[in-house]
Amino acid sequence: MAHRIQNFDLLATDPLRTDALSIAEAAYAAVNVCAALTRTLRIEDGTLHVRDATYRLGKRRIFFVGVGKCARAAAEAIEDIFGDSLTGGIAFDVSESAKQRSLTKIETFIGTHPLPSETNEQATKRILEFLSGRTKDDLVIMLISGGGSTLLCLPKAPMLCEDERVLWSELTAKGASIQDINTVRKHISRARGGALAAAAYPAEVLSLIVSDVPGNDIEYIASGPTVLDTSTVADAKAVLTKHNVSSAERIQCVETPKDKKFFERVSNVLFLTNQDALSAMETEATKRGYAVSVVSDRLSGEARDIGKTVAAKLHGAPQKTALLYAGESTVTIDTRQGGGRGGRNQETALAALEDIRPGELVLPFASDGHDNTDHAGAVSDSATRARAEARSLSISEYLTSHRSYDFFTMTGDALRTGYTGSNVSDLIVAIKQ
């Protein structure tokens, strides 16, 4: 059987690891965007059915715009579903590996992530140009997913994408929440915070949203490009003050579209969330004989603290227990200690490894397959620690210097998936024999 986890067989060296990896595989399958679109969008007798909603197609023009880590995967499904009925579209993704096959109706742009660039700015201008001139009879289907904030970079002069890169790096290093970061990002681009909906006006818009934000607040997912924004420039400036941003003088804030007419014919649908992943994980863990507890679907906080909290909870759990989590942690870098390569999930795994006991396993992983590196996450168990000790690797030293990528590369316990075409936050499975 083909595995989403590319090194499944290498990692699955005992029954506990096999169970944990299989539970993770179930999550990846559940949030596969192509499969979900094929399941959910159905055309019968000239009518598009999307769950309980219907859209009469007739001879109206149909357009597609996908933005974020799921855009290119979604584009393939959209072309399959609509065929010749599709007039045209744009998919703006973050990975060259997203190009699985050639498309006939949809243009593809690949931007940079997590830092914005002039490449992103040019593609964003193309999207706004593409959406302009739509009529009230047109239907625009959008697929909005995580990574969209970085891609939709269109600052107001004299601010440049370089200034946003500096700002993002500073806010991230200070441990700012995704809500704080995206409150600012909505007000430093002319393509976020409802701007794509405004650009498509007066067309009818169906926005399918794949959530990577804990709590699933659609205003913050990809900085809400199809959602009426309730925040203001004053809120954005308050975030800059709160985090004492040194580059604030270079920031040019713009107000987001507030006229409700732009949103009257926009349907924002939470299409996939981490609940879909958690449900599939629960089913798989139960099938494998575990008593399952979904501990949190909106985990937040420092990655190293989360790792230790998860390990401690596992210590107190009965045998044959599975603890499941979803959310998005942060990694605050102390520049005095230096900062190496790694990501939230690998740092969580490394912190858990300090306290892991025999018969316990913690596996944090990124649903998009990219934990700030080409690793998706890592396995922490007694075997991991034994390999670390054999190589004289100090867990605390690698944790302090945020070098989790190097650590798990050397132990051979990193998870690799490649491009998944999905993104519904980070996930953790913690199991006990």
Side-chain angles (χ1 to χ4, degrees):
M1 183 182 73
H3 292 293
R4 173 73 269 175
I5 299 169
Q6 296 170 347
N7 57 343
F8 186 105
D9 292 334
L10 288 173
L11 292 174
T13 53
D14 60 43
L16 195 65
R17 282 183 164 226
T18 300
D19 286 346
L21 293 165
S22 298
I23 293 166
E25 287 261 304
Y28 282 121
V31 296
N32 180 292
V33 169
C34 282
L37 284 169
T38 302
R39 284 195 308 268
T40 307
L41 274 62
R42 188 178 83 258
I43 299 174
E44 289 183 356
D45 299 325
T47 299
L48 172 63
H49 298 261
V50 185
R51 294 179 180 160
D52 295 331
T54 57
Y55 299 82
R56 189 66 185 167
L57 300 181
K59 295 183 178 180
R60 71 195 303 195
R61 296 188 302 172
I62 303 167
F63 300 90
F64 172 76
V65 172
V67 179
K69 296 178 181 179
C70 307
R72 189 53 169 71
E76 294 185 11
I78 290 294
E79 284 205 350
D80 287 340
I81 293 167
F82 288 93
D84 292 338
S85 298
L86 184 68
T87 304
I90 292 177
F92 189 17
D93 210 302
V94 303
S95 174
E96 280 290 345
S97 60
K99 297 180 180 179
Q100 303 298 312
R101 70 169 200 227
S102 60
L103 299 173
T104 59
K105 296 285 189 75
I106 299 173
E107 300 174 67
T108 297
F109 295 91
I110 302 299
T112 59
H113 186 274
L115 297 175
S117 65
E118 289 71 22
T119 297
N120 295 10
E121 185 173 356
Q122 292 307 310
T124 299
K125 288 178 180 177
R126 173 68 186 116
I127 289 174
L128 293 179
E129 175 188 74
F130 177 80
L131 289 173
S132 66
R134 302 283 78 92
T135 73
K136 63 181 179 63
D137 295 323
D138 294 335
L139 174 63
V140 180
I141 299 171
M142 298 199 195
L143 193 291
I144 305 298
S145 55
S149 291
T150 300
L151 294 177
L152 294 172
C153 177
L154 192 58
K156 176 184 176 183
M159 185 178 171
L160 304 171
C161 284
E162 169 63 27
D163 298 316
E164 183 171 332
R165 289 196 287 270
V166 172
L167 172 63
W168 183 89
S169 297
E170 186 172 357
L171 286 172
T172 302
K174 290 183 175 182
S177 68
I178 190 63
Q179 287 79 8
D180 276 358
I181 292 172
N182 284 2
T183 294
V184 174
R185 291 202 286 197
K186 283 190 285 187
H187 293 90
I188 58 173
S189 171
R190 290 165 287 158
R192 302 173 185 143
L196 294 192
Y201 177 83
E204 186 173 17
V205 174
L206 168 61
S207 181
L208 303 172
I209 300 172
V210 180
S211 175
D212 66 333
V213 174
N216 303 322
D217 189 332
I218 60 175
E219 280 197 41
Y220 296 103
I221 302 165
S223 295
T226 61
V227 182
L228 176 59
D229 178 33
T230 60
S231 70
T232 64
V233 166
D235 295 318
K237 290 182 176 179
V239 171
L240 299 178
T241 300
K242 171 184 173 181
H243 293 285
N244 192 27
V245 172
S246 61
S247 59
E249 73 280 355
R250 293 287 301 165
I251 305 306
Q252 295 290 316
C253 288
V254 295
E255 193 51 271
T256 49
K258 302 300 186 190
D259 192 331
K260 292 183 179 179
K261 74 177 184 181
F262 295 133
F263 305 93
E264 289 173 351
R265 303 187 71 212
V266 177
S267 298
N268 288 299
V269 177
L270 263 176
F271 183 63
L272 284 174
T273 74
N274 60 31
Q275 290 287 346
D276 296 287
L278 287 169
S279 178
M281 291 165 73
E282 183 175 12
T283 298
E284 183 65 23
T286 300
K287 186 175 76 174
R288 291 175 175 272
Y290 291 89
V292 183
S293 173
V294 177
V295 183
S296 176
D297 65 352
R298 57 193 70 192
L299 197 63
S300 63
E302 284 291 323
R304 64 178 60 198
D305 294 338
I306 289 171
K308 292 189 174 299
T309 298
V310 171
K313 190 171 181 65
L314 202 56
H315 298 338
Q319 290 183 325
K320 209 62 178 175
T321 290
L323 307 176
L324 307 180
Y325 303 79
E328 186 169 295
S329 62
T330 54
V331 176
T332 303
I333 298 173
D334 184 344
T335 54
R336 295 170 299 178
Q337 302 289 344
R341 297 184 68 192
R344 299 184 299 258
N345 294 282
Q346 292 165 91
E347 182 139 331
T348 299
L350 191 54
L353 190 59
E354 280 195 311
D355 302 326
I356 208 77
R357 295 176 181 174
E360 297 176 347
L361 183 150
V362 175
L363 170 58
F365 59 101
S367 58
D368 66 356
H370 187 83
D371 188 37
N372 203 38
T373 64
D374 57 352
H375 293 171
V379 179
S380 281
D381 63 2
S382 296
T384 312
R385 190 156 60 195
R387 281 188 282 275
E389 291 171 352
R391 291 164 176 77
S392 299
L393 302 178
S394 168
I395 297 172
S396 61
E397 287 180 12
Y398 278 84
L399 194 57
T400 299
S401 58
H402 305 289
R403 295 174 59 203
S404 56
Y405 178 89
D406 297 334
F407 184 94
F408 288 111
T409 296
M410 286 185 279
T411 66
D413 296 290
L415 197 73
R416 292 180 179 272
T417 64
Y419 173 79
T420 67
S422 191
N423 188 31
V424 294
S425 83
D426 295 328
L427 301 160
I428 301 174
V429 53
I431 56 177
K432 188 172 186 175
Q433 279 181 335

